[in-house]
Amino acid sequence: MNESNQKKEITFEIQKHIGVIQEENKGWRKELNLVSWNGGPAKYDIRAWSADYQKMDRGITLKPGEMRNLKTLLEDLEINDA
């Protein structure tokens, strides 16, 4: 098998738990954390994690500047329940 076709193992270290956004079913929680992926610089990360942090769902990572921009947008956001 060609090396480029092999799946690369993804490593992570949750450097700071910031908060739980939502408790989901079967112990999963959607959280905001500061996470280092594959030994890189920590980024803000929003995703669902299993209770033991061994499994995760797809999520979004934001660099510090992107997080600042998102924070500014959210400060002025009016939330309407639809």
Side-chain angles (χ1 to χ4, degrees):
M1 178 184 275
N2 186 329
E3 278 187 43
S4 63
N5 291 337
Q6 292 178 348
K7 283 192 174 184
K8 180 182 175 185
E9 183 179 341
I10 297 172
T11 61
F12 65 91
E13 177 188 354
I14 299 174
Q15 295 186 347
K16 181 177 182 182
H17 290 278
I18 298 171
V20 175
I21 297 168
Q22 178 183 359
E23 293 276 343
E24 297 182 353
N25 53 1
K26 298 183 181 178
W28 285 66
R29 295 184 307 219
K30 191 173 293 175
E31 297 182 358
L32 172 61
N33 295 308
L34 200 55
V35 181
S36 170
W37 295 98
N38 298 320
K43 295 179 183 176
Y44 292 93
D45 185 86
I46 300 171
R47 75 182 62 244
W49 295 88
S50 63
D52 62 3
Y53 293 95
Q54 297 301 308
K55 295 181 183 177
M56 67 196 85
D57 202 357
R58 290 185 180 173
I60 182 170
T61 57
L62 300 166
K63 296 174 186 174
E66 294 170 324
M67 188 64 170
R68 276 191 288 281
N69 291 342
L70 177 60
K71 183 177 182 275
T72 299
L73 290 170
L74 291 174
E75 286 171 350
D76 296 328
L77 179 67
E78 264 190 54
I79 300 188
N80 302 312
D81 292 334

